[in-house]
Amino acid sequence: MAEILKHAVPKAEVAASLDQVRETVAGVIADVRERGDAAVRAYSEKFDKWSPDSFRLSAEDVEKIVASVPQQVIDDITFVQEQVRTFARHQLDSMGEFEVETLPGVRLGQKHIPVQAAGAYIPGGRYPLTASAHMTIVTAKVAGVPRVVACTPPIHGEIPAATVAAMHLAGADEIWLLGGVQAVAAMAVGTDTMEPVNLIAGPGNAYVAEAKRQLFGEIGIDLFAGPTEILVLADDRADPFVCAVDLLSQAEHGPDSPAVLITTSHEVAEQTIAEVERLLPGMPTRDFAEPAWRNHGQVHVVGSVDELYELADAFAFEHVEVLTAEPRLALERMTQYGALFLGEGTCVSFGDKVIGTNHVLPTRGAARYTGGLWVGKYLKTVTYQEVTDTASQALLGRLCGRASRVELFEGHARSGDVRAARAAGDALPWNEA
């Protein structure tokens, strides 16, 4: 049994706070459906104090903004995007198309078709998340998406130049300075000035996540995303200082970001708590990290490595950092996580910012049934069939007739009967008249 040294707030409190979010989001989406651009402009003015002549940046606007970004920032963006692009290309290469002949003249095939228009939401607000542009836009372009619409909000009424540069360098076809639910709704349902997309990807706050949830089905989405999560797994060899630093690295995402430690060592647990309390007062992002740790931080002490991995799988967290003597053991023992970060030399922040794997990952237990954003999310895997051999047409036609009548699908059966009749002269008793 695990001993809990630090608890999070009850889940009921978290669920209650989402009710108002759902109601607000539903109202905004309905308004954008009805009033289009007028509603988008009204919400942008209300929430972002932003109402330019056009929310879409022209090519000249983009060129001017990118030119204002320091060269070192451009170089770093270019380097990181190449890491993301390389990994996405390897993912694409792993997805095979094929055609096989299963019976004489019966050819079955599979191919991958990119969605024709994708929306990329790049969060702004407090943080200009340039890395989200890499993850959503670069990956879509590697998949072959011909039209990528990228939206990001202004930050305190200012253009986030580095984010715009990242969107442009990633290959976005349209760049819009527009954020929040109004951006997601505009991309999903379309307006007079924005054509709708087929799929929307990218992280965001609770309102953005809820907008994607409500619009799912009308459009595709990457996944249902909630607050950023980190789970640190540590044995008695782990450094409590490293544990604390890495827990806080994700807690700073927002006041509702869970940061959890599971360890086999009482000493590591207690010292990690002490290190967090020592480091928090000096963090520039304390106003987010402190409530996240206070309300959503947890520390569990377990009796063995077996219990460590069992409890970790039960959390099914987005990021799992493994600070143990044998970190690669997690690859064998764990089945429910968004991404693993193995060993002290590999921090979650690498995945967030620079290493090349995608940082759009499942939260709120979604790792039980899905992985994160990847090149395959932008592809539709479709099949095709062709039967050219008359003997096979007759065989399948007769079989289809029998199988369909077992299920009382007479129309299906007759369709099969016709193939058998055309191929082999079988009678059609139901067509004698």
Side-chain angles (χ1 to χ4, degrees):
M1 292 291 292
E3 179 183 353
I4 304 176
L5 299 191
K6 185 183 184 311
H7 291 266
V9 296
K11 289 184 178 180
E13 292 184 28
V14 177
S17 69
L18 294 176
D19 291 340
Q20 188 241 335
V21 172
R22 293 189 185 102
E23 184 177 343
T24 300
V25 168
V28 174
I29 292 173
D31 198 13
V32 172
R33 285 189 194 280
E34 182 177 350
R35 298 196 297 133
D37 286 327
V40 169
R41 185 169 296 279
Y43 290 113
S44 182
E45 290 174 344
K46 178 179 179 180
F47 296 123
D48 291 325
K49 306 295 187 292
W50 183 253
S51 184
D53 292 338
S54 172
F55 291 102
R56 181 177 176 179
L57 296 178
S58 67
E60 294 76 16
D61 293 333
V62 172
E63 184 178 355
K64 182 178 178 180
I65 292 167
V66 173
S68 74
V69 178
Q71 188 60 45
Q72 184 64 64
V73 175
I74 296 294
D75 292 345
D76 290 345
I77 288 172
T78 302
F79 177 86
V80 174
Q81 288 186 350
E82 188 54 33
Q83 310 317 300
V84 175
R85 189 173 292 108
T86 296
F87 191 74
R89 283 172 176 159
H90 281 291
Q91 289 182 323
L92 184 63
D93 290 344
S94 76
M95 301 177 65
E97 294 187 350
F98 63 85
E99 182 176 288
V100 293
E101 188 172 24
T102 57
L103 293 167
V106 178
R107 283 176 286 276
L108 309 181
Q110 170 180 294
K111 63 181 299 186
H112 307 297
I113 302 174
V115 298
Q116 294 303 288
Y121 187 82
I122 293 86
R126 174 169 182 164
Y127 302 124
L129 294 182
T130 58
S132 290
H134 319 331
M135 307 301 172
T136 53
I137 301 168
V138 168
T139 308
K141 283 302 182 181
V142 170
V145 178
R147 174 176 171 249
V148 177
V149 179
C151 287
T152 196
I155 299 180
H156 306 303
E158 299 292 332
I159 296 173
T163 303
V164 171
M167 296 157 85
H168 171 67
L169 293 170
D173 299 286
E174 301 174 23
I175 297 177
W176 297 69
L177 285 181
L178 186 64
V181 178
Q182 60 270 23
V184 175
M187 288 191 286
V189 307
T191 70
D192 289 339
T193 56
M194 183 189 293
E195 291 293 319
V197 300
N198 308 125
L199 179 148
I200 294 177
N205 63 17
Y207 292 90
V208 168
E210 177 60 18
K212 288 166 62 181
R213 189 191 70 80
Q214 291 189 20
L215 289 161
F216 176 59
E218 183 172 352
I219 56 158
I221 64 171
D222 46 358
L223 44 81
F224 296 116
T228 293
E229 303 165 340
I230 181 171
L231 175 61
V232 175
L233 307 182
D235 59 16
D236 57 357
R237 300 185 183 187
D239 184 338
F241 172 71
V242 173
C243 293
V245 168
D246 291 350
L247 288 166
L248 291 175
S249 75
Q250 298 300 300
E252 74 176 355
H253 271 277
D256 52 357
S257 293
V260 178
L261 171 69
I262 305 175
T263 178
T264 57
S265 167
H266 260 282
E267 183 178 2
V268 168
E270 292 166 353
Q271 289 184 12
T272 297
I273 293 173
E275 288 287 354
V276 168
E277 299 300 332
R278 182 181 69 83
L279 292 167
L280 260 175
M283 282 193 73
T285 50
R286 176 184 177 181
D287 55 340
F288 277 4
E290 187 170 51
W293 175 250
R294 181 179 64 245
N295 297 327
H296 303 283
Q298 299 181 49
V299 176
H300 298 252
V301 180
V302 295
S304 67
V305 171
D306 289 339
E307 290 182 48
L308 184 82
Y309 289 123
E310 183 179 356
L311 183 56
D313 258 354
F315 272 94
F317 258 25
E318 176 186 20
H319 305 107
V320 180
E321 190 170 290
V322 187
L323 305 180
T324 63
E326 297 181 84
R328 291 184 68 87
L329 186 61
L331 291 169
E332 303 172 18
R333 303 294 294 276
M334 291 191 65
T335 59
Q336 300 189 155
Y337 54 87
L340 286 179
F341 301 83
L342 303 176
E344 187 178 297
T346 317
C347 59
V348 170
S349 296
F350 281 179
D352 280 348
K353 306 300 181 186
V354 297
I355 207 168
T357 49
N358 208 293
H359 79 193
V360 182
L361 298 167
T363 63
R364 297 191 188 281
R368 292 175 290 109
Y369 60 83
T370 187
L373 179 61
W374 70 300
V375 73
K377 182 60 70 172
Y378 294 100
L379 298 169
K380 299 172 292 182
T381 299
V382 298
T383 60
Y384 60 91
Q385 307 83 37
E386 181 181 34
V387 185
T388 57
D389 181 83
T390 55
S392 292
Q393 290 169 357
L395 170 67
L396 293 172
R398 293 163 187 156
L399 177 60
C400 180
R402 295 193 300 271
S404 298
R405 290 186 172 98
V406 168
E407 297 179 345
L408 307 182
F409 274 89
E410 182 60 25
H412 285 63
R414 292 181 178 188
S415 191
D417 294 346
V418 168
R419 271 62 192 178
R422 296 289 174 88
D426 288 22
L428 297 176
W430 48 266
N431 193 42
E432 289 179 354

